[in-house]
Amino acid sequence: MTPVKVASPTQSTIDRVLKHDGRAPRYTSYPTAVQFSTEVGPAEYGDWLAVLSHDTAVSLYVHVPFCTRLCWYCGCNTRVVNRPEPIGEYVRYLLREVELVARKLDGRRSASALHLGGGTPNTLTVVELQAVFGALGREFAFADDIEIAAELDPASLTRSWVEAAGALGMNRASLGVQTLDPKVQAAVNRTETFEQIKECVTALRAIRVRSLNLDLMYGLPHQTTQSVLDTIDAVLKFRPERLALFGYAHVPWMKSHQKLIAEAALPGPAERLEQALTAEEKLVGEGYVSIGLDHFALPHDDLARAKGDHRLRRNFQGYTTDSAKTLIGFGASAIGAMPEGYVQNHTQELPWRQAIDRGETPVARGVVVTDDDRFRAEIIERLMCEFAVDLEAVAGRHHKRSGIDLDEAMARLRPFLGDQFISIEGRRIEVTPAGRPLVRSISACFDAYLQPDALRHSRAV
């Protein structure tokens, strides 16, 4: 493949964007998890499950909170295990949780999607993986066109695991690559080679995974724009259907293991932004469609088609084609979405297991979603997915006058308008190409709960 010449963003563009940088949620839900409280627990979740409509399919999520190594940049709920016993015990409780949830449901529901996340789902043995699928298959009817996806660590992925997952129906997979620069890998305690990635890709292609995603990162210690581009050049040889390019979120006050990263080695804000913008130019030049803030897909992939058809959604897995309004989560820390609100399981395994031992669904907290929340959620989702929103149209769908509750939001948008990062025509707001790195901050203008100075969120750029 002939390298595409990539133009670096101008310093003027970088300076203008960084002037508006601040802390903002990633908006994989609204209200965000910061608003979850113990006012929603097992009783409320049970009531919501009992009245769940039979007419629409649900989406399923299984959280596997184990890894074989500790990546110092990680922000996930996971821990390192080097013995099989803790994982086996976890799976036994997971199967019991599936049964507990099923008892709350009024009949077997159809499942249109199943996502295995973590942590590292491929820490499960083949037998454990089969047991999880068996339990879910008994309680939920898998749709003929169900999308089954898993997040995988190349360092511990085996061909036998891939073949077993393929036999169970896995048709989409995500490999965590992050970077192939040895110096950067050493600085974040995650070492793997191009050959390891190649072996994993070959195994996944052999079971006819229809959509392969590779996760990449920028903003890591010692990372440069050139090293980001070198990694992209290497993985483009696999021609993955999707690529995700995430900015490293340095939040050591929330994730103590990030203190192992030398802050002095982290790229500054301008360097981070240059890495992100240059990588985007590179991927678009190579034929990928830019999807929202940080995803890219080949034109024939479902994600790119959903963008073109205005069907793109955003949930806890990021940008998605999943249209299910109900997400049922299993496992420690798993989040679920119901028509009435959101729920999250206990994040620590011990209280999660204790709740299951009591015969309770292991929900620790959640939030009831109001009509105003749903109104604002659609505005934010459209901005995050399409970089544009028609407030009049959204207001009509929510039976609201578009001016209600939005005067403060429109006032917050003025600085972005002044720097030409957005345009406003009537009640239609559009994020300009220059303003797209700021879409989280722009979306935050419609967040009724946000405390701008709170340290709960990472930098938006």
Side-chain angles (χ1 to χ4, degrees):
M1 183 180 295
T2 303
V4 175
K5 186 176 180 180
V6 178
S8 297
T10 66
Q11 189 61 48
S12 173
T13 298
I14 291 173
D15 290 343
R16 285 173 57 228
V17 170
L18 292 178
K19 185 174 74 172
H20 295 274
D21 188 19
R23 297 189 182 277
R26 294 186 180 274
Y27 291 116
T28 53
S29 72
Y30 184 83
T32 68
V34 174
Q35 275 68 57
F36 292 9
S37 77
T38 55
E39 292 181 9
V40 171
E44 288 76 16
Y45 186 40
D47 292 342
W48 295 351
L49 288 169
V51 298
L52 196 60
S53 171
H54 286 267
D55 298 334
T56 56
V58 301
S59 185
L60 307 175
Y61 174 76
V62 177
H63 190 79
V64 181
F66 305 109
C67 291
T68 58
R69 55 182 174 174
L70 176 64
C71 303
W72 295 345
Y73 59 77
C74 184
C76 300
N77 184 67
T78 186
R79 66 185 177 98
V80 174
V81 293
N82 295 307
R83 297 183 300 112
E85 291 82 7
I87 302 176
E89 181 75 356
Y90 182 85
V91 170
R92 286 189 284 275
Y93 273 88
L94 189 65
L95 303 185
R96 290 171 61 187
E97 183 188 358
V98 172
E99 292 179 3
L100 283 171
V101 169
R103 286 182 209 158
K104 303 290 183 181
L105 293 169
D106 178 22
R108 197 165 179 238
R109 297 298 192 281
S110 172
S112 59
L114 168 58
H115 190 101
L116 279 69
T120 306
N122 54 292
T123 55
L124 301 183
T125 66
V126 167
V127 172
E128 289 165 346
L129 182 69
Q130 291 169 337
V132 171
F133 271 75
L136 292 171
R138 285 190 294 272
E139 308 297 354
F140 297 91
F142 287 5
D144 291 339
D145 60 348
I146 187 173
E147 181 179 270
I148 299 178
E151 301 168 12
L152 307 171
D153 182 354
S156 56
L157 186 64
T158 63
R159 187 175 293 271
S160 60
W161 197 97
V162 170
E163 290 172 350
L168 292 168
M170 184 177 73
N171 48 28
R172 198 167 74 75
S174 181
L175 283 173
V177 176
Q178 322 312 350
T179 176
L180 291 174
D181 184 326
K183 184 177 182 180
V184 180
Q185 289 181 343
V188 297
N189 196 43
R190 184 186 176 95
T191 302
E192 57 204 14
T193 66
F194 175 82
E195 289 304 318
Q196 283 179 298
I197 305 296
K198 182 178 179 180
E199 289 176 12
C200 294
V201 170
T202 300
L204 290 165
R205 293 300 191 196
I207 65 164
R208 292 181 172 82
V209 164
R210 70 168 184 254
S211 185
L212 174 63
N213 173 75
L214 301 183
D215 282 345
L216 307 178
M217 292 185 74
Y218 65 90
L220 294 170
H222 302 297
Q223 205 167 20
T224 65
T225 299
Q226 189 57 53
S227 70
V228 172
L229 293 176
D230 289 345
T231 294
I232 290 174
D233 273 330
V235 300
L236 282 178
K237 295 180 174 67
F238 306 128
R239 203 61 177 170
E241 284 77 16
R242 302 180 187 180
L243 287 145
L245 181 69
F246 300 120
Y248 167 57
H250 191 60
V251 287
W253 56 90
M254 293 176 63
K255 297 293 179 179
S256 60
H257 56 262
Q258 290 187 354
K259 294 175 183 176
L260 297 169
I261 289 178
E263 292 195 15
L266 292 171
E271 294 173 279
R272 280 175 56 97
L273 183 56
E274 181 182 39
Q275 290 172 17
L277 294 177
T278 306
E280 179 178 13
E281 290 286 342
K282 169 73 173 179
L283 290 169
V284 171
E286 294 284 354
Y288 285 83
V289 177
S290 179
I291 308 290
L293 181 64
D294 46 24
H295 283 51
F296 301 85
L298 290 175
H300 68 266
D301 187 80
D302 289 345
L303 203 62
R305 290 178 176 176
K307 177 187 176 179
D309 297 339
H310 304 286
R311 293 183 291 105
L312 190 64
R313 301 292 309 279
R314 188 162 173 82
N315 65 14
F316 298 105
Q317 282 79 57
Y319 290 104
T320 179
T321 60
D322 185 5
S323 60
K325 294 183 178 180
T326 298
L327 169 66
I328 300 178
F330 300 99
S333 82
I335 294 178
M338 310 291 287
E340 296 85 356
Y342 297 103
V343 293
Q344 183 175 25
N345 283 351
H346 289 280
T347 57
Q348 300 299 315
E349 291 169 52
L350 180 58
W352 174 75
R353 292 197 302 266
Q354 289 172 335
I356 293 171
D357 281 336
R358 293 193 299 269
E360 296 177 353
T361 55
V363 168
R365 61 189 193 131
V367 64
V368 175
V369 175
T370 68
D371 287 342
D372 188 65
D373 291 336
R374 294 185 182 93
F375 176 44
R376 291 173 181 271
E378 184 174 346
I379 293 171
I380 290 170
E381 185 178 48
R382 288 306 94 211
L383 284 169
M384 292 294 296
C385 289
E386 298 185 5
F387 297 113
V389 63
D390 185 333
L391 298 181
E392 203 75 48
V394 176
R397 286 192 288 274
H398 291 265
H399 309 292
K400 288 172 130 347
R401 291 193 355 254
S402 60
I404 292 178
D405 298 329
L406 293 182
D407 290 344
E408 183 180 352
M410 298 301 281
R412 291 179 185 173
L413 288 170
R414 287 194 191 109
F416 299 103
L417 182 64
D419 272 346
Q420 299 182 324
F421 289 133
I422 61 171
S423 63
I424 301 177
E425 293 185 16
R427 283 287 177 177
R428 177 179 170 79
I429 300 168
E430 185 164 352
V431 182
T432 65
R436 291 184 178 185
L438 294 164
V439 68
R440 286 167 59 191
S441 296
I442 292 167
S443 298
C445 293
F446 295 93
D447 188 336
Y449 303 103
L450 185 66
Q451 298 177 3
D453 297 327
L455 291 177
R456 293 296 303 271
H457 307 295
S458 61
R459 306 298 303 186
V461 176

